[in-house]
Amino acid sequence: MIELKNLVKRYGDHLAVDHLNLTIEDGKIYGFLGPNGAGKSTTMNMMTGYLSATEGDIIINGHNVLEEPEEAKCCIGYLPEQPPLYMDMTVLEYLLFCAELKKVPKEKRAEQVTQVEEMTRLTDVSGRLIKNLSKGYRQRVGLAQAILGFPPIIILDEPTVGLDPKQIIEIRDLIRQLSKEHTVILSSHILSEVQEICDEIIIISHGRLVANDSAEHLEEHLRGSSKLNLVVKGGEEDISAALADVAGVRSFQTKAGTDGTCAVTLEQMQGADPREDIFYALADARLPILEMKQTAASLEKVFLELTDDSNQSPANGRKPRRRLRRRRSASPEETALDAPETPDTSEENTHTASLDEAEEPEFDDLYEVTLPEDAPAAEDAVSEEPQEAPEEEAAEDKEDAQ
């Protein structure tokens, strides 16, 4: 079991994980979803002890990652998004090396390596250098090292990236097989894959937990907001009057067309199916339905609904864009004659100016200096070198001539 308690991770001013509370139970496959930058990989890295949390606790099978790091890490096998491979090793050498790192007993290493090679279909390339393998096979090698030692929890970050369709099916079957004795947590952007193999789905957005349930329950949750799209022959007023008393319809909107038809969008109540009542209501009013289509809920719609930026603010609040500010010219009292004023570090960084600035930034007078009235002209302000006397100059000419 994994428990995340009030987990926070900050990178400077950026809040990557925002007070995340989560419990992951044994014996299930968890799908970890979220948009790019939502904090998925950061959370996984903290769960494995690769990154330290700014605040909060991570408990792995009763071991606090901060207080008992070795005991907690022994419970986890981890495949990061970029597999940690040594390219100049063969597959067999690398897996034996990983088995030693994981403190697999010496007498069991060869047996375990052979077993995970068979599970990940690496037996045929066991003697080849990793650098000569395709991306798909390298991904398998990374998965094999995560399985070595057979830890109770296996965390996989994008495990099917770079695999062909046949390999993806094999890895899915392997994950199902592993779930019989292990808890598996995987992140993926392939929603159909997550929906097919995961028992529970965790969705985070801007570092916050927004959903934790099965795919079926998440779809059922949004099914109440599913919509019916109709094309009806008739006027808006007549159609609105016919639909006003239909049970199961939460709301509807009409839009008149140019051909005597009207487009109708209905939002139905949760658990209701008003299609039959809609048909009879419009038929009684002699308003024929030319088209009726239901927008079914899906995991994709659930994901988009829960991670829609228009419905929520970022975890740390989005700062306004920085805009280029031109520095004022320094006064004579503030400026030395021989050098411009040192730029004030408190000023905003000119390299982070907003890309949508209306005017082109002017850099020519960014550090403009105002000189006193009695200062020499620019052409006269040259470095003065000591001039030689005429006698010394004549002596040097004579020496050069000789």
Side-chain angles (χ1 to χ4, degrees), residues 190-213:
I190 306 174
L191 299 183
S192 59
E193 177 179 84
V194 172
Q195 187 171 13
E196 181 179 346
I197 65 175
C198 294
D199 302 313
E200 301 281 337
I201 294 175
I202 301 167
I203 301 178
I204 66 173
S205 180
H206 297 296
R208 301 181 184 132
L209 179 68
V210 295
N212 181 15
D213 210 334

PDB file of all heavy atoms in Angstrom, residues 190-213:
ATOM      1  N   ILE A 190      -2.166   7.337 -23.606  1.00  0.00           N
ATOM      2  CA  ILE A 190      -3.066   6.553 -24.461  1.00  0.00           C
ATOM      3  C   ILE A 190      -4.268   6.159 -23.605  1.00  0.00           C
ATOM      4  O   ILE A 190      -4.218   5.186 -22.838  1.00  0.00           O
ATOM      5  CB  ILE A 190      -2.359   5.326 -25.034  1.00  0.00           C
ATOM      6  CG1 ILE A 190      -1.066   5.741 -25.748  1.00  0.00           C
ATOM      7  CG2 ILE A 190      -3.275   4.577 -25.989  1.00  0.00           C
ATOM      8  CD1 ILE A 190      -0.224   4.569 -26.217  1.00  0.00           C
ATOM      9  N   LEU A 191      -5.341   6.927 -23.707  1.00  0.00           N
ATOM     10  CA  LEU A 191      -6.481   6.722 -22.817  1.00  0.00           C
ATOM     11  C   LEU A 191      -7.143   5.364 -23.037  1.00  0.00           C
ATOM     12  O   LEU A 191      -7.619   4.746 -22.083  1.00  0.00           O
ATOM     13  CB  LEU A 191      -7.494   7.851 -23.006  1.00  0.00           C
ATOM     14  CG  LEU A 191      -6.978   9.260 -22.688  1.00  0.00           C
ATOM     15  CD1 LEU A 191      -8.100  10.275 -22.838  1.00  0.00           C
ATOM     16  CD2 LEU A 191      -6.394   9.338 -21.299  1.00  0.00           C
ATOM     17  N   SER A 192      -7.185   4.909 -24.282  1.00  0.00           N
ATOM     18  CA  SER A 192      -7.802   3.606 -24.549  1.00  0.00           C
ATOM     19  C   SER A 192      -7.026   2.495 -23.854  1.00  0.00           C
ATOM     20  O   SER A 192      -7.614   1.515 -23.380  1.00  0.00           O
ATOM     21  CB  SER A 192      -7.851   3.357 -26.060  1.00  0.00           C
ATOM     22  OG  SER A 192      -6.543   3.388 -26.622  1.00  0.00           O
ATOM     23  N   GLU A 193      -5.709   2.635 -23.795  1.00  0.00           N
ATOM     24  CA  GLU A 193      -4.872   1.645 -23.118  1.00  0.00           C
ATOM     25  C   GLU A 193      -5.164   1.629 -21.623  1.00  0.00           C
ATOM     26  O   GLU A 193      -5.325   0.558 -21.023  1.00  0.00           O
ATOM     27  CB  GLU A 193      -3.406   1.973 -23.374  1.00  0.00           C
ATOM     28  CG  GLU A 193      -2.420   1.060 -22.674  1.00  0.00           C
ATOM     29  CD  GLU A 193      -0.986   1.454 -23.007  1.00  0.00           C
ATOM     30  OE1 GLU A 193      -0.450   2.366 -22.353  1.00  0.00           O
ATOM     31  OE2 GLU A 193      -0.425   0.847 -23.929  1.00  0.00           O
ATOM     32  N   VAL A 194      -5.244   2.799 -21.023  1.00  0.00           N
ATOM     33  CA  VAL A 194      -5.535   2.895 -19.593  1.00  0.00           C
ATOM     34  C   VAL A 194      -6.916   2.322 -19.293  1.00  0.00           C
ATOM     35  O   VAL A 194      -7.105   1.579 -18.321  1.00  0.00           O
ATOM     36  CB  VAL A 194      -5.432   4.364 -19.142  1.00  0.00           C
ATOM     37  CG1 VAL A 194      -5.910   4.523 -17.705  1.00  0.00           C
ATOM     38  CG2 VAL A 194      -3.999   4.862 -19.279  1.00  0.00           C
ATOM     39  N   GLN A 195      -7.864   2.649 -20.139  1.00  0.00           N
ATOM     40  CA  GLN A 195      -9.228   2.181 -19.920  1.00  0.00           C
ATOM     41  C   GLN A 195      -9.319   0.663 -20.021  1.00  0.00           C
ATOM     42  O   GLN A 195     -10.111   0.024 -19.326  1.00  0.00           O
ATOM     43  CB  GLN A 195     -10.172   2.833 -20.941  1.00  0.00           C
ATOM     44  CG  GLN A 195     -11.638   2.558 -20.698  1.00  0.00           C
ATOM     45  CD  GLN A 195     -12.514   3.409 -21.597  1.00  0.00           C
ATOM     46  OE1 GLN A 195     -12.045   4.024 -22.543  1.00  0.00           O
ATOM     47  NE2 GLN A 195     -13.797   3.463 -21.303  1.00  0.00           N
ATOM     48  N   GLU A 196      -8.477   0.087 -20.869  1.00  0.00           N
ATOM     49  CA  GLU A 196      -8.557  -1.356 -21.109  1.00  0.00           C
ATOM     50  C   GLU A 196      -7.942  -2.174 -19.987  1.00  0.00           C
ATOM     51  O   GLU A 196      -8.475  -3.235 -19.627  1.00  0.00           O
ATOM     52  CB  GLU A 196      -7.857  -1.690 -22.429  1.00  0.00           C
ATOM     53  CG  GLU A 196      -7.911  -3.164 -22.791  1.00  0.00           C
ATOM     54  CD  GLU A 196      -7.238  -3.460 -24.117  1.00  0.00           C
ATOM     55  OE1 GLU A 196      -6.974  -2.509 -24.866  1.00  0.00           O
ATOM     56  OE2 GLU A 196      -6.989  -4.641 -24.393  1.00  0.00           O
ATOM     57  N   ILE A 197      -6.827  -1.721 -19.424  1.00  0.00           N
ATOM     58  CA  ILE A 197      -6.088  -2.585 -18.499  1.00  0.00           C
ATOM     59  C   ILE A 197      -6.120  -2.131 -17.040  1.00  0.00           C
ATOM     60  O   ILE A 197      -5.735  -2.904 -16.169  1.00  0.00           O
ATOM     61  CB  ILE A 197      -4.617  -2.738 -18.940  1.00  0.00           C
ATOM     62  CG1 ILE A 197      -3.875  -1.408 -18.853  1.00  0.00           C
ATOM     63  CG2 ILE A 197      -4.531  -3.325 -20.325  1.00  0.00           C
ATOM     64  CD1 ILE A 197      -2.403  -1.525 -19.161  1.00  0.00           C
ATOM     65  N   CYS A 198      -6.573  -0.904 -16.760  1.00  0.00           N
ATOM     66  CA  CYS A 198      -6.478  -0.377 -15.390  1.00  0.00           C
ATOM     67  C   CYS A 198      -7.762  -0.620 -14.601  1.00  0.00           C
ATOM     68  O   CYS A 198      -8.869  -0.487 -15.131  1.00  0.00           O
ATOM     69  CB  CYS A 198      -6.149   1.114 -15.408  1.00  0.00           C
ATOM     70  SG  CYS A 198      -4.498   1.473 -16.058  1.00  0.00           S
ATOM     71  N   ASP A 199      -7.592  -0.965 -13.332  1.00  0.00           N
ATOM     72  CA  ASP A 199      -8.732  -1.132 -12.438  1.00  0.00           C
ATOM     73  C   ASP A 199      -9.199   0.210 -11.875  1.00  0.00           C
ATOM     74  O   ASP A 199     -10.390   0.420 -11.673  1.00  0.00           O
ATOM     75  CB  ASP A 199      -8.359  -2.056 -11.274  1.00  0.00           C
ATOM     76  CG  ASP A 199      -7.890  -3.428 -11.750  1.00  0.00           C
ATOM     77  OD1 ASP A 199      -8.562  -4.009 -12.610  1.00  0.00           O
ATOM     78  OD2 ASP A 199      -6.838  -3.893 -11.276  1.00  0.00           O
ATOM     79  N   GLU A 200      -8.247   1.081 -11.589  1.00  0.00           N
ATOM     80  CA  GLU A 200      -8.544   2.398 -11.040  1.00  0.00           C
ATOM     81  C   GLU A 200      -7.808   3.455 -11.855  1.00  0.00           C
ATOM     82  O   GLU A 200      -6.717   3.203 -12.375  1.00  0.00           O
ATOM     83  CB  GLU A 200      -8.114   2.510  -9.572  1.00  0.00           C
ATOM     84  CG  GLU A 200      -8.770   1.500  -8.638  1.00  0.00           C
ATOM     85  CD  GLU A 200     -10.176   1.904  -8.262  1.00  0.00           C
ATOM     86  OE1 GLU A 200     -10.490   3.106  -8.349  1.00  0.00           O
ATOM     87  OE2 GLU A 200     -10.964   1.017  -7.875  1.00  0.00           O
ATOM     88  N   ILE A 201      -8.409   4.633 -11.956  1.00  0.00           N
ATOM     89  CA  ILE A 201      -7.813   5.725 -12.709  1.00  0.00           C
ATOM     90  C   ILE A 201      -7.640   6.932 -11.798  1.00  0.00           C
ATOM     91  O   ILE A 201      -8.590   7.338 -11.115  1.00  0.00           O
ATOM     92  CB  ILE A 201      -8.678   6.095 -13.933  1.00  0.00           C
ATOM     93  CG1 ILE A 201      -8.681   4.938 -14.923  1.00  0.00           C
ATOM     94  CG2 ILE A 201      -8.149   7.362 -14.612  1.00  0.00           C
ATOM     95  CD1 ILE A 201      -9.583   5.140 -16.108  1.00  0.00           C
ATOM     96  N   ILE A 202      -6.424   7.448 -11.771  1.00  0.00           N
ATOM     97  CA  ILE A 202      -6.104   8.641 -10.987  1.00  0.00           C
ATOM     98  C   ILE A 202      -5.814   9.768 -11.974  1.00  0.00           C
ATOM     99  O   ILE A 202      -4.973   9.616 -12.856  1.00  0.00           O
ATOM    100  CB  ILE A 202      -4.874   8.400 -10.087  1.00  0.00           C
ATOM    101  CG1 ILE A 202      -5.145   7.240  -9.135  1.00  0.00           C
ATOM    102  CG2 ILE A 202      -4.503   9.663  -9.326  1.00  0.00           C
ATOM    103  CD1 ILE A 202      -3.899   6.745  -8.432  1.00  0.00           C
ATOM    104  N   ILE A 203      -6.511  10.880 -11.832  1.00  0.00           N
ATOM    105  CA  ILE A 203      -6.295  12.025 -12.723  1.00  0.00           C
ATOM    106  C   ILE A 203      -5.865  13.211 -11.875  1.00  0.00           C
ATOM    107  O   ILE A 203      -6.527  13.548 -10.880  1.00  0.00           O
ATOM    108  CB  ILE A 203      -7.576  12.380 -13.506  1.00  0.00           C
ATOM    109  CG1 ILE A 203      -8.048  11.184 -14.337  1.00  0.00           C
ATOM    110  CG2 ILE A 203      -7.330  13.576 -14.424  1.00  0.00           C
ATOM    111  CD1 ILE A 203      -9.337  11.423 -15.102  1.00  0.00           C
ATOM    112  N   ILE A 204      -4.728  13.823 -12.252  1.00  0.00           N
ATOM    113  CA  ILE A 204      -4.282  15.027 -11.572  1.00  0.00           C
ATOM    114  C   ILE A 204      -4.165  16.149 -12.593  1.00  0.00           C
ATOM    115  O   ILE A 204      -3.916  15.910 -13.781  1.00  0.00           O
ATOM    116  CB  ILE A 204      -2.950  14.824 -10.816  1.00  0.00           C
ATOM    117  CG1 ILE A 204      -1.809  14.546 -11.798  1.00  0.00           C
ATOM    118  CG2 ILE A 204      -3.060  13.720  -9.802  1.00  0.00           C
ATOM    119  CD1 ILE A 204      -0.467  14.513 -11.122  1.00  0.00           C
ATOM    120  N   SER A 205      -4.361  17.344 -12.127  1.00  0.00           N
ATOM    121  CA  SER A 205      -4.259  18.531 -12.983  1.00  0.00           C
ATOM    122  C   SER A 205      -3.700  19.665 -12.142  1.00  0.00           C
ATOM    123  O   SER A 205      -4.198  19.934 -11.043  1.00  0.00           O
ATOM    124  CB  SER A 205      -5.631  18.906 -13.552  1.00  0.00           C
ATOM    125  OG  SER A 205      -5.542  20.051 -14.379  1.00  0.00           O
ATOM    126  N   HIS A 206      -2.655  20.325 -12.641  1.00  0.00           N
ATOM    127  CA  HIS A 206      -1.983  21.399 -11.917  1.00  0.00           C
ATOM    128  C   HIS A 206      -1.555  20.944 -10.522  1.00  0.00           C
ATOM    129  O   HIS A 206      -1.639  21.692  -9.555  1.00  0.00           O
ATOM    130  CB  HIS A 206      -2.876  22.633 -11.810  1.00  0.00           C
ATOM    131  CG  HIS A 206      -3.217  23.236 -13.141  1.00  0.00           C
ATOM    132  ND1 HIS A 206      -2.259  23.781 -13.976  1.00  0.00           N
ATOM    133  CD2 HIS A 206      -4.397  23.374 -13.788  1.00  0.00           C
ATOM    134  CE1 HIS A 206      -2.840  24.227 -15.069  1.00  0.00           C
ATOM    135  NE2 HIS A 206      -4.131  24.001 -14.987  1.00  0.00           N
ATOM    136  N   GLY A 207      -1.102  19.689 -10.429  1.00  0.00           N
ATOM    137  CA  GLY A 207      -0.600  19.183  -9.165  1.00  0.00           C
ATOM    138  C   GLY A 207      -1.649  18.763  -8.175  1.00  0.00           C
ATOM    139  O   GLY A 207      -1.327  18.338  -7.063  1.00  0.00           O
ATOM    140  N   ARG A 208      -2.929  18.842  -8.541  1.00  0.00           N
ATOM    141  CA  ARG A 208      -4.018  18.497  -7.626  1.00  0.00           C
ATOM    142  C   ARG A 208      -4.714  17.224  -8.093  1.00  0.00           C
ATOM    143  O   ARG A 208      -4.840  16.964  -9.285  1.00  0.00           O
ATOM    144  CB  ARG A 208      -5.050  19.614  -7.565  1.00  0.00           C
ATOM    145  CG  ARG A 208      -4.508  20.960  -7.109  1.00  0.00           C
ATOM    146  CD  ARG A 208      -5.641  21.965  -7.077  1.00  0.00           C
ATOM    147  NE  ARG A 208      -5.172  23.296  -6.736  1.00  0.00           N
ATOM    148  CZ  ARG A 208      -5.507  24.380  -7.397  1.00  0.00           C
ATOM    149  NH1 ARG A 208      -6.303  24.291  -8.439  1.00  0.00           N
ATOM    150  NH2 ARG A 208      -5.049  25.557  -7.029  1.00  0.00           N
ATOM    151  N   LEU A 209      -5.214  16.466  -7.140  1.00  0.00           N
ATOM    152  CA  LEU A 209      -6.008  15.277  -7.457  1.00  0.00           C
ATOM    153  C   LEU A 209      -7.420  15.717  -7.834  1.00  0.00           C
ATOM    154  O   LEU A 209      -8.093  16.385  -7.055  1.00  0.00           O
ATOM    155  CB  LEU A 209      -6.050  14.345  -6.243  1.00  0.00           C
ATOM    156  CG  LEU A 209      -6.859  13.062  -6.415  1.00  0.00           C
ATOM    157  CD1 LEU A 209      -6.184  12.141  -7.424  1.00  0.00           C
ATOM    158  CD2 LEU A 209      -7.012  12.344  -5.075  1.00  0.00           C
ATOM    159  N   VAL A 210      -7.862  15.334  -9.050  1.00  0.00           N
ATOM    160  CA  VAL A 210      -9.205  15.714  -9.484  1.00  0.00           C
ATOM    161  C   VAL A 210     -10.125  14.510  -9.646  1.00  0.00           C
ATOM    162  O   VAL A 210     -11.341  14.674  -9.730  1.00  0.00           O
ATOM    163  CB  VAL A 210      -9.154  16.512 -10.815  1.00  0.00           C
ATOM    164  CG1 VAL A 210      -8.446  17.836 -10.609  1.00  0.00           C
ATOM    165  CG2 VAL A 210      -8.477  15.722 -11.929  1.00  0.00           C
ATOM    166  N   ALA A 211      -9.547  13.287  -9.687  1.00  0.00           N
ATOM    167  CA  ALA A 211     -10.392  12.094  -9.806  1.00  0.00           C
ATOM    168  C   ALA A 211      -9.606  10.879  -9.354  1.00  0.00           C
ATOM    169  O   ALA A 211      -8.392  10.779  -9.573  1.00  0.00           O
ATOM    170  CB  ALA A 211     -10.884  11.903 -11.237  1.00  0.00           C
ATOM    171  N   ASN A 212     -10.305   9.937  -8.724  1.00  0.00           N
ATOM    172  CA  ASN A 212      -9.716   8.667  -8.315  1.00  0.00           C
ATOM    173  C   ASN A 212     -10.835   7.647  -8.234  1.00  0.00           C
ATOM    174  O   ASN A 212     -11.506   7.526  -7.216  1.00  0.00           O
ATOM    175  CB  ASN A 212      -8.997   8.815  -6.976  1.00  0.00           C
ATOM    176  CG  ASN A 212      -8.347   7.517  -6.521  1.00  0.00           C
ATOM    177  OD1 ASN A 212      -8.186   6.582  -7.308  1.00  0.00           O
ATOM    178  ND2 ASN A 212      -7.978   7.447  -5.254  1.00  0.00           N
ATOM    179  N   ASP A 213     -11.057   6.928  -9.330  1.00  0.00           N
ATOM    180  CA  ASP A 213     -12.174   5.986  -9.394  1.00  0.00           C
ATOM    181  C   ASP A 213     -11.961   5.069 -10.589  1.00  0.00           C
ATOM    182  O   ASP A 213     -11.019   5.239 -11.361  1.00  0.00           O
ATOM    183  CB  ASP A 213     -13.501   6.735  -9.529  1.00  0.00           C
ATOM    184  CG  ASP A 213     -14.663   5.968  -8.900  1.00  0.00           C
ATOM    185  OD1 ASP A 213     -14.572   4.731  -8.816  1.00  0.00           O
ATOM    186  OD2 ASP A 213     -15.651   6.607  -8.518  1.00  0.00           O
TER     187      ASP A 213
END
